[in-house]
Amino acid sequence: MTPDLAKDDILILQTMWEVKALGARSVTVEHLVSRMPDISKTKASERLKRLEAHGLVTATNSDGDELFGLSPLGTAFVRQLQDRQLGDLSMGL
C-alpha cells in the first residue's frame, strides 16, 4: 500500500489504533508520545505530518491543539498489518 513507511511510522499508526484515534476521535501528539517512550515529541510531529501527506492520518485544530486521527486509509493499512502479523503467527505454529 505505502512501501516507504519507516518503523516509527508504523509504530505511530499502531499506537493510534490502540488508543482508538479513529476519524473524529483524535488525539494530541503528547498523548501518543506518552505511549511511545522511544519517540520524541518533535520526531512524532514530523512523522505525523508525513503520514498525513500519505493520506493515512488526518489533522485538525481544536482550541490551539493539533489533533490527529487515523484516516479510513490509515485504518485499512493498520488492519492489513494486523492480518499479516496474525498470518505470520499462525504459520509458526
Side-chain angles (χ1 to χ4, degrees):
M1 196 179 287
T2 43
D4 60 343
L5 291 183
K7 181 180 173 184
D8 288 341
D9 295 334
I10 293 170
L11 178 62
I12 288 171
L13 292 172
Q14 289 175 325
T15 302
M16 292 178 82
W17 175 266
E18 290 171 7
V19 299
K20 297 177 179 51
L22 307 166
R25 190 174 186 285
S26 303
V27 294
T28 62
V29 175
E30 290 83 4
H31 183 86
L32 287 174
V33 171
S34 72
R35 310 213 5 117
M36 301 178 302
D38 295 338
I39 298 179
S40 70
K41 180 181 174 185
T42 302
K43 187 173 186 177
S45 293
E46 291 169 0
R47 293 295 184 180
L48 284 163
K49 291 296 183 190
R50 179 178 148 95
L51 291 167
E52 182 183 15
H54 282 296
L56 299 171
V57 169
T58 59
T60 56
N61 202 331
S62 175
D63 297 328
D65 288 328
E66 196 160 24
L67 302 172
F68 297 91
L70 287 172
S71 69
L73 180 62
T75 303
F77 182 79
V78 173
R79 290 296 309 259
Q80 186 179 39
L81 282 174
Q82 289 177 333
D83 289 346
R84 191 174 310 138
Q85 289 170 344
L86 186 57
D88 291 346
L89 283 174
S90 65
M91 296 289 261
L93 294 178

